[in-house]
Amino acid sequence: MAFRGFKKAINDANFSVNISSNGTRSIERRLSEGGFENRRCYTDGFENKSNTSSYRGSGSGNNGGRWKRGGSFNNRNGGGRGYGKGNFKPKHRFVDDDDDGDARMRDEEHLHRSNYGGSGFGNKERDRDESDWFKVVVPEGKKHNRDWLLNKIKQIAKVSFEEVDYHTFKDNIVFFLKGQMIADAVQSASNIVTTKDGSKLFFTVRPSRPPNNNINKDEKKSSSNTSVETSPEKLEVLKTFLGNRYDVKLVKLDLSNISSEKILFENRIEGHAGNFKFMNTIFTIINSICPQLKSLDLSHNGITRLNTLEFLADKCPELEELNLSRNQIRFSGELTKIASNKKLKRLFLNDNPFSDNYKSDNVAYIAEIRSKLPDIEELDGVVLPKTIKCDLLSESVIPESKPAYTENQDALKLIATFLENYYKIYDSSDASYRQHLLGAYHNDAVFSMSLNTGISSSSKSHSLNDYVKISRNLRRIRERNIRHQLIKQSKLAVVAFLTELPTTTHKLDSFVLDIPVVTPSCLVFTIHGVFLEKKLNILRGFSRVFVSVPETNSQFLIINDELHIRNITDAQLAKFEIKPIETKEQELLSETKQQELIKQFSLHSKMNLKWSCDCLVSNGWNFEQAATKFTELNNLGKIPPEAFVI
């Protein structure tokens, strides 16, 4: 019954399927007058032998292909690509995202061939070219300087290469190399390059398609001076198109949503802002007709990369405003390709993937744009605050450097005494003794600490990893809540944080003291020097900024404390020697002796243990000196009653 039903359906249909002796199948449609038309033959392998239809297509590849509108197949595994003719005009599409997140656009040559005919066989030369490209991905490489990174890789790999399409994706660095030997040499350098913080640099090197801007420099140079081979008729169409969109009064050209332009569609012109040759033709016409163009609108064009705008400065030298809003630009690094437009002052970038990432942080958004285009004055229709620049006139003479700076000798003596007492307590063998620094801080004191990994010596640099988690480096920490957590507020929080830092011995003879601000209401001083980290027995460099406010009895309290830690320089390393580290027995003996001194001093002075300890610590555990200081202050009545044992 099922077979008879199927046979009846075939007989009732207006087409028939015939199978020949060699396995070839044919489909024939009956005409109402009799006879057949639109014959199409194929085999079980889907190899197209003939096609008299008005829609022709071909495909090649081991595992067949995927049908596309316009009469073409994209093979999935092996083989080349097939292209065919069709009456349907395909829209431009984005192909799969690359593994670093870029949206790749099909080659412009592919687009033209798919519309106007082409071979069904793969381009062997192109396939060979694709296999010779490799993509290098450096995880979290954004924090490294580009020149430093590339020079280090070349130095370790012992090979010279020219990186292509160097850009950032999130926190990663991505670039392309050409050549199997170069790729192997670069891969061998992974996990060997040492970064400035002592960690090893890891990266991957994998075969890849050619990068989007795979145009060598000679080709780019010639492309900037030549346009597409367009017939005179189509050039006139393009001029008409530009004339319709040009505003004479505003000296503005509207090239938004080019692909929907009716006049281009009717004249079979492939118009797209991502097509290098098409845009070069457009800019060449603009340069010949209106070189004084002031404003250009390229919004709503699906632009992902700005390769087509690299020669914009040559073609439109007077351009002041550029609208790139509502596109698909995913990386701020693309803006470097229009950095040569020195007269560009107004820029629109809203509604692009990368700009949307900054919706909650407008300050970071402006800073990111200005890092690529420092002369921009208006962004997304908002006038930006003026940048503060410190330009020196050519005839200005920079004064000689001084080892230290202060204009107030009284302040210098006061601060020198303070620092000596401060670091006697800070450098105690037990970090918990730093709690005695509470008296040096204001109730509303604020503290923060950050690392400086930009300084290294020729000797082996010691890792700063122990400090990374508590470092408030604003260039690396983007999250506001984490930035806020790393600020210690109130003197209790500040001193508690200091007690958690490693025990140290500061080299007082290494201190360089600057006192830039001395006023009745504020005292600012900075210190640069060296300290020994006892646990690891290694030297570190540091800088510290104190902001203090006056207190009663000619005293002052620290209200802001900022600490920077770094590796030491070669000069500092040569000057200071590292002494052998004390044993645990010596440390325990020292602590035991300190406790005995405290009890003995309390017995003679009648002060409680806390005040006795403070007096001894402030005098470097010198019993006689502490006793002399106690007698002096006690005779002056400067020791409060609560200091004594009741």
Side-chain angles (χ1 to χ4, degrees):
M1 291 294 292
F3 175 76
R4 288 199 298 270
F6 175 75
K7 185 175 181 180
K8 183 176 184 303
I10 292 294
N11 292 332
D12 293 342
N14 62 348
F15 65 88
S16 63
V17 179
N18 299 322
I19 303 177
S20 63
S21 59
N22 62 1
T24 301
R25 300 180 182 180
S26 64
I27 300 174
E28 298 176 335
R29 183 169 65 87
R30 298 188 184 90
L31 297 176
S32 58
E33 301 85 2
F36 299 90
E37 72 167 3
N38 198 27
R39 179 167 179 166
R40 183 171 183 170
C41 301
Y42 56 92
T43 65
D44 290 339
F46 293 96
E47 181 183 1
N48 195 26
K49 298 296 184 181
S50 64
N51 189 351
T52 59
S53 170
S54 59
Y55 291 84
R56 297 200 298 268
S58 62
S60 62
N62 295 338
N63 293 335
R66 181 176 60 197
W67 177 80
K68 291 197 313 177
R69 300 183 73 176
S72 64
F73 291 88
N74 279 347
N75 70 327
R76 293 190 181 96
N77 298 308
R81 291 181 179 176
Y83 306 96
K85 295 181 178 179
N87 294 334
F88 177 80
K89 185 180 180 65
K91 296 181 179 179
H92 296 275
R93 299 165 181 252
F94 297 107
V95 296
D96 301 357
D97 277 6
D98 206 347
D99 59 3
D100 65 339
D102 345 346
R104 296 188 179 277
M105 295 194 66
R106 287 190 171 86
D107 191 354
E108 285 80 10
E109 181 183 357
H110 178 159
L111 294 171
H112 285 289
R113 292 177 66 184
S114 64
N115 284 298
Y116 304 115
S119 169
F121 299 95
N123 188 327
K124 294 182 179 179
E125 187 64 33
R126 184 189 64 215
D127 293 342
R128 190 182 305 116
D129 182 63
E130 288 188 7
S131 64
D132 209 27
W133 282 97
F134 295 83
K135 179 163 66 176
V136 182
V137 179
V138 185
E140 298 183 0
K142 185 179 179 181
K143 61 187 177 182
H144 301 298
N145 176 269
R146 173 175 176 166
D147 293 336
W148 177 90
L149 175 65
L150 294 174
N151 289 337
K152 275 292 184 182
I153 294 176
K154 292 176 182 178
Q155 180 183 356
I156 300 298
K158 297 180 180 179
V159 66
S160 178
F161 58 82
E162 183 177 355
E163 72 284 358
V164 178
D165 196 15
Y166 186 102
H167 64 277
T168 60
F169 172 66
K170 296 182 179 178
D171 290 332
N172 305 331
I173 289 295
V174 181
F175 61 90
F176 294 82
L177 302 173
K178 192 172 184 180
Q180 181 72 51
M181 294 181 63
I182 294 177
D184 292 342
V186 170
Q187 179 65 73
S188 67
S190 180
N191 272 331
I192 296 179
V193 176
T194 303
T195 64
K196 296 178 181 180
D197 62 2
S199 60
K200 297 298 182 181
L201 186 69
F202 169 77
F203 48 86
T204 61
V205 183
R206 296 175 181 172
S208 170
R209 296 177 180 177
N212 287 344
N213 62 346
N214 180 22
I215 306 171
N216 65 49
K217 293 181 178 179
D218 294 333
E219 289 173 344
K220 284 188 175 182
K221 187 173 180 180
S222 62
S223 297
S224 66
N225 298 317
T226 60
S227 58
V228 185
E229 296 180 2
T230 307
S231 64
E233 293 79 9
K234 289 189 176 180
L235 280 176
E236 290 301 320
V237 172
L238 291 177
K239 289 179 181 180
T240 302
F241 158 65
L242 295 176
N244 294 338
R245 290 185 170 226
Y246 181 66
D247 189 321
V248 179
K249 293 183 179 180
L250 300 177
V251 198
K252 177 180 179 179
L253 182 61
D254 181 5
L255 294 183
S256 62
N257 202 9
I258 298 175
S259 58
S260 66
E261 179 62 35
K262 184 178 180 181
I263 190 173
L264 300 181
F265 178 81
E266 291 174 346
N267 288 274
R268 301 177 66 82
I269 296 177
E270 279 294 331
H272 192 274
N275 186 322
F276 185 86
K277 293 182 178 180
F278 171 79
M279 291 302 294
N280 195 41
T281 302
I282 292 294
F283 290 137
T284 300
I285 296 174
I286 293 173
N287 182 259
S288 62
I289 297 177
C290 182
Q292 304 298 319
L293 186 68
K294 299 291 185 183
S295 177
L296 178 62
D297 186 350
L298 287 170
S299 60
H300 295 280
N301 276 305
I303 297 172
T304 58
R305 299 291 179 91
L306 301 183
N307 299 340
T308 58
L309 304 184
E310 286 185 330
F311 304 106
L312 185 61
D314 297 330
K315 304 296 185 180
C316 305
E318 302 299 321
L319 193 67
E320 297 177 356
E321 178 180 292
L322 180 61
N323 189 345
L324 293 172
S325 63
R326 295 174 177 83
N327 280 296
Q328 295 299 319
I329 303 171
R330 304 177 69 178
F331 311 107
S332 61
E334 290 296 308
L335 297 177
T336 58
K337 297 173 183 177
I338 59 173
S340 57
N341 292 73
K342 299 302 181 183
K343 293 189 178 182
L344 187 63
K345 302 299 180 185
R346 297 183 298 279
L347 182 65
F348 292 85
L349 289 169
N350 51 290
D351 297 318
N352 276 285
F354 96 86
S355 60
D356 290 344
N357 295 334
Y358 292 94
K359 283 186 176 180
S360 60
D361 194 347
N362 194 51
V363 174
Y365 176 49
I366 295 173
E368 181 68 16
I369 301 305
R370 274 184 162 167
S371 68
K372 307 296 187 297
L373 303 171
D375 296 325
I376 290 297
E377 297 177 356
E378 185 176 320
L379 180 61
D380 298 337
V382 178
V383 178
L384 301 181
K386 292 184 178 181
T387 55
I388 300 175
K389 297 182 179 180
C390 299
D391 296 329
L392 293 176
L393 300 176
S394 57
E395 63 270 14
S396 298
V397 177
I398 300 177
E400 295 182 2
S401 62
K402 298 181 179 180
Y405 172 80
T406 180
E407 292 294 340
N408 191 312
Q409 294 301 318
D410 292 335
L412 178 60
K413 295 178 182 178
L414 179 65
I415 294 173
T417 303
F418 166 80
L419 291 176
E420 184 179 356
N421 293 331
Y422 183 93
Y423 281 105
K424 282 180 180 177
I425 300 174
Y426 191 94
D427 290 338
S428 297
S429 57
D430 185 355
S432 64
Y433 277 97
R434 292 174 184 168
Q435 62 184 315
H436 297 297
L437 292 172
L438 279 170
Y441 286 89
H442 192 277
N443 288 333
D444 299 324
V446 176
F447 174 88
S448 67
M449 189 277 292
S450 65
L451 297 180
N452 181 353
T453 58
I455 297 178
S456 60
S457 61
S458 58
S459 63
K460 182 179 179 182
S461 298
H462 297 283
S463 173
L464 294 166
N465 290 340
D466 291 342
Y467 296 95
V468 170
K469 291 183 179 180
I470 54 177
S471 172
R472 190 175 182 266
N473 190 327
L474 300 184
R475 296 188 65 182
R476 297 186 179 184
I477 300 175
R478 300 290 185 181
E479 299 81 0
R480 289 195 174 190
N481 60 324
I482 298 179
R483 288 183 176 185
H484 182 75
Q485 291 172 8
L486 292 174
I487 298 178
K488 307 305 174 182
Q489 302 182 58
S490 82
K491 68 177 183 180
L492 290 175
V494 171
V495 175
F497 181 84
L498 295 178
T499 60
E500 295 175 359
L501 295 177
T503 55
T504 58
T505 298
H506 285 74
K507 306 289 185 180
L508 299 183
D509 54 339
S510 72
F511 283 14
V512 176
L513 175 63
D514 294 318
I515 311 174
V517 179
V518 180
T519 69
S521 60
C522 182
L523 181 63
V524 180
F525 53 100
T526 65
I527 318 162
H528 309 277
V530 173
F531 69 85
L532 175 71
E533 191 175 313
K534 291 182 180 179
K535 181 180 179 181
L536 300 177
N537 199 35
I538 57 177
L539 291 173
R540 306 279 195 196
F542 80 99
S543 297
R544 201 159 184 176
V545 182
F546 291 103
V547 179
S548 59
V549 293
E551 185 66 9
T552 57
N553 300 326
S554 301
Q555 300 293 320
F556 61 86
L557 297 177
I558 301 169
I559 196 168
N560 194 302
D561 183 359
E562 186 175 330
L563 173 63
H564 298 263
I565 298 177
R566 61 181 181 275
N567 285 317
I568 61 173
T569 63
D570 287 330
Q572 291 172 327
L573 184 63
K575 185 176 180 180
F576 300 100
E577 296 181 359
I578 302 178
K579 295 181 180 179
I581 194 168
E582 292 184 348
T583 62
K584 291 184 178 180
E585 291 76 10
Q586 289 174 319
E587 291 181 4
L588 291 173
L589 179 62
S590 177
E591 292 175 11
T592 303
K593 187 176 179 179
Q594 288 176 359
Q595 294 296 329
E596 292 177 356
L597 286 174
I598 293 171
K599 291 178 181 179
Q600 187 178 357
F601 193 88
S602 176
L603 182 65
H604 286 79
S605 65
K606 307 301 182 183
M607 290 197 302
N608 59 41
L609 295 177
K610 179 182 179 303
W611 280 81
S612 298
C613 177
D614 290 345
C615 187
L616 286 167
V617 168
S618 62
N619 287 278
W621 296 98
N622 186 317
F623 192 94
E624 293 181 0
Q625 182 178 333
T628 302
K629 192 68 174 178
F630 165 75
T631 303
E632 177 185 344
L633 295 176
N634 192 33
N635 292 336
L636 295 174
K638 291 187 176 182
I639 300 178
E642 59 267 22
F644 295 94
V645 178
I646 299 175

